[in-house]
Amino acid sequence: MQKGLSDRLLPAPRAGGFYMKDYWIWCGSVVKGEDGRFHMFASRWPKSLPMHPGWLVKSEIVRAVSDTPEGPYTFQEVVLPARGAQYWDGRSTHNPHIIRVDHTYLLYYMGTTHPFSDPAPEEPYGLEDPRCIVARANKRVGLAVSSSVFGPWERKDVPILPTRPGKFDSFLTSNPAPCVQDKGSILLMYKARRYEEGHLHGNMTIGLACADHYNNAYKVIADEPVFPPDQFHIEDPFIWRTDGGYEMIAKDMEGTLCGEKHGGIRALSEDGKTWRLADNPKAYSRTVTWDDGTIQEMGSFERPFLLFQDGVPTHLFAAVADGPGGFRHATNTWNMVIPIQV
């Protein structure tokens, strides 16, 4: 990608992506199934709850399908439903990231739980609600495995990335970004927060873990975040192998790295452990061009995911919202897709 991803983004199809009228839609990732069709794994939660933080207590991972990468994608089933407060992921599943290793599908995700009742329709619910506070503190990264894109999915009864007391990931782990390495080992980037007194947490940081096999233990590589937190305020990483090592795109929270708040950055690594910002650090913009010629600045543009075909990225997927910006101003969210010039 010497030219840079942002230079090769084509107009986005208005009729593409994945949308459901009565749900907030987020976190789209796509894999080509054994049936030759394209399967999107996404998060959804009912619009009876606020977009944020409704996902913390009611999100579920679903599957939608299309004959083409562009879509539109049609809802098929709930993949990881709620399964009871006694499970670590029993009340909410979110942040799906699907990959295929040989004949096995690996669905990385965030799960959480809380011991309270579900919010009733129209019941006041926000960031200071005990259900939200507990669910946020219980966020952990997990893995579900299947031999078919249609399931059934085998979930683990414990998360693969628990929190670590006293470390940068002592409060929560989420937003998994796996990358398959040689001999099937996994490099896993993730978002984390540090515990602070009370029910508070520190700023977002990025961690890195590895496993010699997807079913084996995941070990955090370092006791410090991948990027200096005072310089890199980012989230939603996506990483992949390149001829020269590894590349990453992620959301720039403040715009200090790529020049646009909530735009995308590019970072590079030779070994997957030590990372630096690319010389041309802009990966994508919140401002998109549609195939009808119109240009729109999206209220949100997050959770970037690249679909690779024959070893090259062909489509960029993103969770987007309408409105002027900020979750509270959104009336609709969906997963959009932008073709990439190959």
Short mmCIF file of all heavy atoms in Angstrom, two decimals, residues 27 29-31 39-42 60-63 78-80 88-89 93-101 104-110 141-146 148-149 153-156 160 176 178 188 214 218:
data_model
loop_
_atom_site.label_atom_id
_atom_site.label_comp_id
_atom_site.label_asym_id
_atom_site.label_seq_id
_atom_site.Cartn_x
_atom_site.Cartn_y
_atom_site.Cartn_z
N CYS A 27 -20.12 -2.32 13.88
CA CYS A 27 -19.06 -3.36 13.94
C CYS A 27 -19.12 -4.41 12.83
O CYS A 27 -19.07 -5.59 13.11
CB CYS A 27 -19.13 -4.10 15.28
SG CYS A 27 -18.97 -3.11 16.75
N SER A 29 -17.86 -6.96 10.03
CA SER A 29 -16.69 -7.63 9.46
C SER A 29 -17.20 -8.73 8.54
O SER A 29 -18.26 -9.31 8.79
CB SER A 29 -15.77 -8.20 10.54
OG SER A 29 -16.36 -9.27 11.23
N VAL A 30 -16.46 -9.01 7.47
CA VAL A 30 -16.98 -9.84 6.38
C VAL A 30 -15.99 -10.95 6.04
O VAL A 30 -14.78 -10.76 6.05
CB VAL A 30 -17.25 -8.98 5.12
CG1 VAL A 30 -17.66 -9.84 3.95
CG2 VAL A 30 -18.34 -7.95 5.43
N VAL A 31 -16.56 -12.12 5.73
CA VAL A 31 -15.77 -13.26 5.28
C VAL A 31 -16.51 -13.95 4.15
O VAL A 31 -17.75 -13.95 4.12
CB VAL A 31 -15.51 -14.24 6.45
CG1 VAL A 31 -16.80 -14.94 6.89
CG2 VAL A 31 -14.45 -15.27 6.09
N HIS A 39 -20.44 -13.05 3.94
CA HIS A 39 -21.18 -13.07 5.19
C HIS A 39 -20.63 -11.99 6.11
O HIS A 39 -19.44 -11.97 6.43
CB HIS A 39 -21.06 -14.44 5.86
CG HIS A 39 -21.65 -15.54 5.03
ND1 HIS A 39 -22.87 -16.10 5.30
CD2 HIS A 39 -21.17 -16.18 3.92
CE1 HIS A 39 -23.13 -17.04 4.41
NE2 HIS A 39 -22.11 -17.10 3.56
N MET A 40 -21.52 -11.08 6.51
CA MET A 40 -21.14 -10.01 7.42
C MET A 40 -21.58 -10.37 8.84
O MET A 40 -22.73 -10.73 9.08
CB MET A 40 -21.79 -8.68 7.03
CG MET A 40 -21.44 -7.54 8.01
SD MET A 40 -22.26 -5.97 7.66
CE MET A 40 -21.38 -5.45 6.18
N PHE A 41 -20.64 -10.27 9.77
CA PHE A 41 -20.93 -10.42 11.19
C PHE A 41 -20.92 -9.02 11.79
O PHE A 41 -19.94 -8.28 11.66
CB PHE A 41 -19.91 -11.33 11.85
CG PHE A 41 -20.05 -12.76 11.41
CD1 PHE A 41 -19.61 -13.17 10.15
CD2 PHE A 41 -20.64 -13.70 12.24
CE1 PHE A 41 -19.75 -14.49 9.73
CE2 PHE A 41 -20.78 -15.03 11.84
CZ PHE A 41 -20.35 -15.41 10.58
N ALA A 42 -22.03 -8.65 12.41
CA ALA A 42 -22.22 -7.28 12.88
C ALA A 42 -22.87 -7.29 14.25
O ALA A 42 -23.36 -8.31 14.73
CB ALA A 42 -23.08 -6.49 11.89
N GLU A 60 -26.16 -7.76 20.38
CA GLU A 60 -26.00 -9.17 20.02
C GLU A 60 -25.34 -9.22 18.65
O GLU A 60 -25.54 -8.33 17.81
CB GLU A 60 -27.35 -9.89 19.99
CG GLU A 60 -28.38 -9.28 19.06
CD GLU A 60 -29.77 -9.90 19.20
OE1 GLU A 60 -29.96 -10.74 20.09
OE2 GLU A 60 -30.66 -9.53 18.41
N ILE A 61 -24.54 -10.24 18.42
CA ILE A 61 -23.85 -10.40 17.15
C ILE A 61 -24.73 -11.19 16.20
O ILE A 61 -25.26 -12.24 16.55
CB ILE A 61 -22.49 -11.08 17.35
CG1 ILE A 61 -21.56 -10.14 18.13
CG2 ILE A 61 -21.85 -11.45 16.01
CD1 ILE A 61 -20.24 -10.75 18.53
N VAL A 62 -24.88 -10.65 14.98
CA VAL A 62 -25.76 -11.25 13.97
C VAL A 62 -24.96 -11.50 12.70
O VAL A 62 -23.85 -10.99 12.52
CB VAL A 62 -26.96 -10.33 13.68
CG1 VAL A 62 -27.77 -10.09 14.95
CG2 VAL A 62 -26.52 -9.00 13.06
N ARG A 63 -25.58 -12.29 11.81
CA ARG A 63 -24.98 -12.58 10.50
C ARG A 63 -25.94 -12.13 9.41
O ARG A 63 -27.14 -12.37 9.47
CB ARG A 63 -24.69 -14.07 10.36
CG ARG A 63 -24.05 -14.45 9.01
CD ARG A 63 -23.69 -15.94 8.97
NE ARG A 63 -24.86 -16.80 9.12
CZ ARG A 63 -25.65 -17.18 8.11
NH1 ARG A 63 -25.40 -16.78 6.88
NH2 ARG A 63 -26.68 -17.96 8.35
N VAL A 78 -29.30 -14.47 14.46
CA VAL A 78 -28.50 -14.05 15.60
C VAL A 78 -27.46 -15.13 15.87
O VAL A 78 -27.80 -16.30 16.04
CB VAL A 78 -29.38 -13.82 16.84
CG1 VAL A 78 -28.52 -13.45 18.05
CG2 VAL A 78 -30.42 -12.74 16.57
N VAL A 79 -26.20 -14.75 15.89
CA VAL A 79 -25.11 -15.72 16.03
C VAL A 79 -24.75 -15.94 17.50
O VAL A 79 -24.58 -17.07 17.94
CB VAL A 79 -23.88 -15.23 15.24
CG1 VAL A 79 -22.69 -16.17 15.47
CG2 VAL A 79 -24.20 -15.14 13.76
N LEU A 80 -24.60 -14.86 18.25
CA LEU A 80 -24.23 -14.95 19.67
C LEU A 80 -25.28 -14.19 20.50
O LEU A 80 -25.09 -13.02 20.85
CB LEU A 80 -22.84 -14.37 19.92
CG LEU A 80 -21.66 -15.05 19.22
CD1 LEU A 80 -20.35 -14.39 19.63
CD2 LEU A 80 -21.62 -16.54 19.50
N TRP A 88 -19.75 -14.78 31.41
CA TRP A 88 -18.98 -13.55 31.26
C TRP A 88 -19.47 -12.71 30.08
O TRP A 88 -19.34 -11.49 30.09
CB TRP A 88 -17.49 -13.88 31.10
CG TRP A 88 -17.16 -14.52 29.78
CD1 TRP A 88 -17.17 -15.86 29.50
CD2 TRP A 88 -16.79 -13.86 28.57
NE1 TRP A 88 -16.84 -16.07 28.18
CE2 TRP A 88 -16.60 -14.86 27.60
CE3 TRP A 88 -16.61 -12.52 28.22
CZ2 TRP A 88 -16.23 -14.57 26.28
CZ3 TRP A 88 -16.25 -12.22 26.90
CH2 TRP A 88 -16.05 -13.24 25.97
N ASP A 89 -20.04 -13.37 29.07
CA ASP A 89 -20.58 -12.67 27.89
C ASP A 89 -22.09 -12.84 27.81
O ASP A 89 -22.67 -12.81 26.74
CB ASP A 89 -19.93 -13.22 26.62
CG ASP A 89 -20.20 -14.71 26.42
OD1 ASP A 89 -20.70 -15.38 27.36
OD2 ASP A 89 -19.93 -15.23 25.31
N THR A 93 -22.99 -9.11 23.47
CA THR A 93 -21.86 -9.48 22.60
C THR A 93 -21.72 -8.39 21.55
O THR A 93 -22.70 -7.90 20.99
CB THR A 93 -22.06 -10.85 21.95
OG1 THR A 93 -23.31 -10.87 21.22
CG2 THR A 93 -22.07 -11.95 23.00
N HIS A 94 -20.47 -8.01 21.24
CA HIS A 94 -20.22 -6.80 20.46
C HIS A 94 -18.84 -6.93 19.81
O HIS A 94 -18.10 -7.89 20.07
CB HIS A 94 -20.27 -5.60 21.42
CG HIS A 94 -20.47 -4.27 20.77
ND1 HIS A 94 -21.62 -3.91 20.11
CD2 HIS A 94 -19.67 -3.17 20.72
CE1 HIS A 94 -21.52 -2.67 19.67
NE2 HIS A 94 -20.34 -2.20 20.02
N ASN A 95 -18.46 -5.97 18.98
CA ASN A 95 -17.13 -5.93 18.35
C ASN A 95 -16.76 -7.21 17.60
O ASN A 95 -15.63 -7.71 17.72
CB ASN A 95 -16.03 -5.67 19.39
CG ASN A 95 -16.10 -4.32 20.05
OD1 ASN A 95 -15.69 -4.20 21.21
ND2 ASN A 95 -16.60 -3.31 19.38
N PRO A 96 -17.62 -7.83 16.78
CA PRO A 96 -17.22 -9.04 16.08
C PRO A 96 -16.11 -8.78 15.07
O PRO A 96 -16.08 -7.74 14.41
CB PRO A 96 -18.51 -9.47 15.38
CG PRO A 96 -19.26 -8.19 15.16
CD PRO A 96 -18.98 -7.39 16.40
N HIS A 97 -15.19 -9.72 14.97
CA HIS A 97 -14.15 -9.70 13.94
C HIS A 97 -13.97 -11.13 13.46
O HIS A 97 -13.44 -11.98 14.19
CB HIS A 97 -12.84 -9.14 14.50
CG HIS A 97 -11.80 -8.90 13.46
ND1 HIS A 97 -11.20 -7.67 13.26
CD2 HIS A 97 -11.25 -9.72 12.52
CE1 HIS A 97 -10.32 -7.76 12.27
NE2 HIS A 97 -10.34 -9.00 11.81
N ILE A 98 -14.43 -11.41 12.25
CA ILE A 98 -14.44 -12.78 11.72
C ILE A 98 -13.23 -13.01 10.82
O ILE A 98 -12.88 -12.16 10.00
CB ILE A 98 -15.75 -13.05 10.94
CG1 ILE A 98 -15.85 -14.51 10.50
CG2 ILE A 98 -15.89 -12.10 9.75
CD1 ILE A 98 -16.14 -15.46 11.61
N ILE A 99 -12.55 -14.13 10.99
CA ILE A 99 -11.49 -14.56 10.08
C ILE A 99 -11.63 -16.05 9.85
O ILE A 99 -12.30 -16.76 10.59
CB ILE A 99 -10.07 -14.25 10.62
CG1 ILE A 99 -9.83 -14.96 11.95
CG2 ILE A 99 -9.85 -12.76 10.76
CD1 ILE A 99 -8.40 -14.80 12.46
N ARG A 100 -10.99 -16.52 8.78
CA ARG A 100 -11.03 -17.95 8.45
C ARG A 100 -9.61 -18.48 8.41
O ARG A 100 -8.74 -17.90 7.74
CB ARG A 100 -11.72 -18.18 7.10
CG ARG A 100 -11.95 -19.64 6.75
CD ARG A 100 -12.71 -19.75 5.43
NE ARG A 100 -13.00 -21.14 5.10
CZ ARG A 100 -13.66 -21.53 4.02
NH1 ARG A 100 -14.10 -20.62 3.16
NH2 ARG A 100 -13.90 -22.81 3.78
N VAL A 101 -9.35 -19.55 9.14
CA VAL A 101 -8.05 -20.21 9.14
C VAL A 101 -8.27 -21.63 8.63
O VAL A 101 -8.90 -22.45 9.30
CB VAL A 101 -7.43 -20.23 10.55
CG1 VAL A 101 -6.09 -20.96 10.53
CG2 VAL A 101 -7.24 -18.81 11.07
N THR A 104 -11.63 -23.46 9.32
CA THR A 104 -12.24 -23.06 10.60
C THR A 104 -12.48 -21.56 10.62
O THR A 104 -11.62 -20.77 10.21
CB THR A 104 -11.32 -23.45 11.78
OG1 THR A 104 -11.09 -24.87 11.75
CG2 THR A 104 -11.96 -23.08 13.10
N TYR A 105 -13.65 -21.18 11.10
CA TYR A 105 -14.01 -19.76 11.25
C TYR A 105 -13.78 -19.35 12.70
O TYR A 105 -14.24 -20.02 13.62
CB TYR A 105 -15.46 -19.52 10.85
CG TYR A 105 -15.75 -19.80 9.39
CD1 TYR A 105 -16.12 -21.07 8.96
CD2 TYR A 105 -15.63 -18.79 8.44
CE1 TYR A 105 -16.38 -21.33 7.63
CE2 TYR A 105 -15.87 -19.05 7.09
CZ TYR A 105 -16.24 -20.31 6.70
OH TYR A 105 -16.50 -20.57 5.37
N LEU A 106 -13.08 -18.24 12.88
CA LEU A 106 -12.78 -17.71 14.20
C LEU A 106 -13.51 -16.38 14.35
O LEU A 106 -13.27 -15.44 13.58
CB LEU A 106 -11.28 -17.50 14.39
CG LEU A 106 -10.37 -18.69 14.06
CD1 LEU A 106 -8.91 -18.31 14.29
CD2 LEU A 106 -10.75 -19.91 14.87
N LEU A 107 -14.39 -16.30 15.33
CA LEU A 107 -15.16 -15.09 15.59
C LEU A 107 -14.69 -14.49 16.91
O LEU A 107 -15.06 -14.95 17.99
CB LEU A 107 -16.65 -15.41 15.64
CG LEU A 107 -17.60 -14.24 15.90
CD1 LEU A 107 -17.40 -13.12 14.88
CD2 LEU A 107 -19.04 -14.71 15.92
N TYR A 108 -13.82 -13.48 16.80
CA TYR A 108 -13.37 -12.75 17.99
C TYR A 108 -14.42 -11.67 18.30
O TYR A 108 -15.03 -11.10 17.39
CB TYR A 108 -12.01 -12.11 17.73
CG TYR A 108 -10.89 -13.12 17.59
CD1 TYR A 108 -10.64 -13.74 16.37
CD2 TYR A 108 -10.09 -13.46 18.67
CE1 TYR A 108 -9.62 -14.69 16.23
CE2 TYR A 108 -9.07 -14.39 18.55
CZ TYR A 108 -8.84 -15.00 17.32
OH TYR A 108 -7.83 -15.94 17.20
N TYR A 109 -14.60 -11.39 19.58
CA TYR A 109 -15.63 -10.44 19.96
C TYR A 109 -15.41 -9.95 21.38
O TYR A 109 -14.58 -10.48 22.11
CB TYR A 109 -17.03 -11.07 19.82
CG TYR A 109 -17.30 -12.21 20.80
CD1 TYR A 109 -18.06 -12.01 21.95
CD2 TYR A 109 -16.80 -13.50 20.56
CE1 TYR A 109 -18.31 -13.05 22.84
CE2 TYR A 109 -17.05 -14.53 21.44
CZ TYR A 109 -17.80 -14.31 22.58
OH TYR A 109 -18.04 -15.34 23.47
N MET A 110 -16.19 -8.92 21.76
CA MET A 110 -16.24 -8.46 23.13
C MET A 110 -17.54 -8.94 23.76
O MET A 110 -18.59 -8.87 23.12
CB MET A 110 -16.17 -6.92 23.18
CG MET A 110 -16.17 -6.31 24.59
SD MET A 110 -17.79 -6.26 25.42
CE MET A 110 -18.72 -5.15 24.39
N VAL A 141 -12.49 -9.69 26.04
CA VAL A 141 -12.37 -10.24 24.69
C VAL A 141 -12.53 -11.75 24.73
O VAL A 141 -11.92 -12.43 25.58
CB VAL A 141 -11.02 -9.86 24.05
CG1 VAL A 141 -10.78 -10.64 22.76
CG2 VAL A 141 -10.97 -8.36 23.78
N GLY A 142 -13.34 -12.29 23.81
CA GLY A 142 -13.56 -13.72 23.73
C GLY A 142 -13.45 -14.25 22.32
O GLY A 142 -13.17 -13.50 21.37
N LEU A 143 -13.68 -15.55 22.18
CA LEU A 143 -13.55 -16.23 20.89
C LEU A 143 -14.61 -17.32 20.77
O LEU A 143 -14.82 -18.09 21.69
CB LEU A 143 -12.15 -16.85 20.76
CG LEU A 143 -11.89 -17.76 19.55
CD1 LEU A 143 -12.00 -16.99 18.25
CD2 LEU A 143 -10.51 -18.42 19.67
N ALA A 144 -15.28 -17.36 19.61
CA ALA A 144 -16.20 -18.44 19.25
C ALA A 144 -15.69 -19.09 17.97
O ALA A 144 -15.17 -18.41 17.08
CB ALA A 144 -17.61 -17.91 19.06
N VAL A 145 -15.82 -20.41 17.86
CA VAL A 145 -15.23 -21.17 16.76
C VAL A 145 -16.30 -22.03 16.10
O VAL A 145 -17.18 -22.58 16.77
CB VAL A 145 -14.08 -22.06 17.29
CG1 VAL A 145 -13.50 -22.91 16.17
CG2 VAL A 145 -13.00 -21.21 17.93
N SER A 146 -16.19 -22.16 14.77
CA SER A 146 -17.11 -23.02 14.03
C SER A 146 -16.43 -23.57 12.79
O SER A 146 -15.56 -22.90 12.20
CB SER A 146 -18.38 -22.26 13.62
OG SER A 146 -19.24 -23.06 12.84
N SER A 148 -18.20 -24.10 10.15
CA SER A 148 -19.05 -23.58 9.08
C SER A 148 -19.44 -22.15 9.39
O SER A 148 -19.63 -21.78 10.55
CB SER A 148 -20.31 -24.44 8.93
OG SER A 148 -21.24 -23.81 8.07
N VAL A 149 -19.58 -21.33 8.36
CA VAL A 149 -20.02 -19.96 8.55
C VAL A 149 -21.46 -19.92 9.07
O VAL A 149 -21.90 -18.92 9.63
CB VAL A 149 -19.87 -19.17 7.24
CG1 VAL A 149 -20.97 -19.55 6.24
CG2 VAL A 149 -19.85 -17.67 7.49
N TRP A 153 -21.77 -22.33 16.72
CA TRP A 153 -20.59 -21.66 17.24
C TRP A 153 -20.30 -22.13 18.67
O TRP A 153 -21.18 -22.16 19.51
CB TRP A 153 -20.78 -20.14 17.23
CG TRP A 153 -20.89 -19.63 15.83
CD1 TRP A 153 -22.04 -19.49 15.09
CD2 TRP A 153 -19.81 -19.24 14.98
NE1 TRP A 153 -21.73 -19.03 13.84
CE2 TRP A 153 -20.37 -18.86 13.74
CE3 TRP A 153 -18.42 -19.16 15.15
CZ2 TRP A 153 -19.59 -18.42 12.67
CZ3 TRP A 153 -17.65 -18.72 14.09
CH2 TRP A 153 -18.22 -18.36 12.87
N GLU A 154 -19.07 -22.52 18.90
CA GLU A 154 -18.64 -22.96 20.22
C GLU A 154 -17.97 -21.79 20.95
O GLU A 154 -16.91 -21.32 20.56
CB GLU A 154 -17.66 -24.13 20.10
CG GLU A 154 -17.16 -24.65 21.43
CD GLU A 154 -16.12 -25.74 21.29
OE1 GLU A 154 -15.91 -26.22 20.17
OE2 GLU A 154 -15.50 -26.09 22.31
N ARG A 155 -18.63 -21.32 21.99
CA ARG A 155 -18.08 -20.21 22.78
C ARG A 155 -17.26 -20.76 23.94
O ARG A 155 -17.54 -21.85 24.46
CB ARG A 155 -19.19 -19.36 23.38
CG ARG A 155 -20.08 -18.65 22.41
CD ARG A 155 -20.80 -17.54 23.15
NE ARG A 155 -22.21 -17.48 22.85
CZ ARG A 155 -23.04 -16.55 23.31
NH1 ARG A 155 -22.59 -15.61 24.11
NH2 ARG A 155 -24.33 -16.58 23.00
N LYS A 156 -16.28 -20.00 24.36
CA LYS A 156 -15.52 -20.36 25.54
C LYS A 156 -16.21 -19.78 26.78
O LYS A 156 -16.79 -18.70 26.74
CB LYS A 156 -14.09 -19.82 25.43
CG LYS A 156 -13.28 -20.44 24.29
CD LYS A 156 -11.89 -19.87 24.25
CE LYS A 156 -11.09 -20.48 23.09
NZ LYS A 156 -10.85 -21.91 23.28
N ILE A 160 -10.68 -14.87 26.50
CA ILE A 160 -9.29 -15.17 26.14
C ILE A 160 -8.35 -14.05 26.58
O ILE A 160 -7.15 -14.26 26.68
CB ILE A 160 -9.13 -15.43 24.63
CG1 ILE A 160 -9.54 -14.18 23.82
CG2 ILE A 160 -9.96 -16.64 24.20
CD1 ILE A 160 -9.22 -14.30 22.34
N PRO A 176 -11.17 -6.52 19.64
CA PRO A 176 -10.11 -7.41 19.17
C PRO A 176 -9.83 -7.27 17.68
O PRO A 176 -10.74 -7.11 16.87
CB PRO A 176 -10.65 -8.80 19.49
CG PRO A 176 -12.15 -8.64 19.42
CD PRO A 176 -12.41 -7.26 19.97
N PRO A 178 -7.51 -9.55 15.26
CA PRO A 178 -6.58 -10.66 15.07
C PRO A 178 -5.87 -10.62 13.73
O PRO A 178 -6.38 -10.09 12.74
CB PRO A 178 -7.52 -11.88 15.14
CG PRO A 178 -8.81 -11.36 14.56
CD PRO A 178 -8.91 -9.92 15.01
N LEU A 188 -2.78 -10.66 18.22
CA LEU A 188 -4.06 -10.05 18.55
C LEU A 188 -3.87 -8.68 19.18
O LEU A 188 -3.36 -8.56 20.29
CB LEU A 188 -4.84 -10.96 19.51
CG LEU A 188 -6.25 -10.51 19.88
CD1 LEU A 188 -7.15 -10.51 18.65
CD2 LEU A 188 -6.84 -11.41 20.96
N TYR A 214 -4.85 -20.72 17.77
CA TYR A 214 -6.02 -19.92 18.17
C TYR A 214 -6.74 -20.50 19.37
O TYR A 214 -7.40 -19.77 20.13
CB TYR A 214 -6.99 -19.77 16.99
CG TYR A 214 -7.60 -21.05 16.46
CD1 TYR A 214 -8.68 -21.66 17.08
CD2 TYR A 214 -7.10 -21.64 15.29
CE1 TYR A 214 -9.24 -22.83 16.58
CE2 TYR A 214 -7.65 -22.80 14.78
CZ TYR A 214 -8.72 -23.38 15.42
OH TYR A 214 -9.27 -24.54 14.92
N TYR A 218 -3.72 -17.02 25.19
CA TYR A 218 -3.28 -15.75 24.64
C TYR A 218 -2.49 -15.00 25.71
O TYR A 218 -2.98 -14.80 26.82
CB TYR A 218 -4.49 -14.92 24.18
CG TYR A 218 -5.13 -15.46 22.92
CD1 TYR A 218 -5.92 -16.61 22.96
CD2 TYR A 218 -4.93 -14.85 21.69
CE1 TYR A 218 -6.49 -17.13 21.82
CE2 TYR A 218 -5.49 -15.36 20.53
CZ TYR A 218 -6.28 -16.49 20.60
OH TYR A 218 -6.85 -17.01 19.45
#
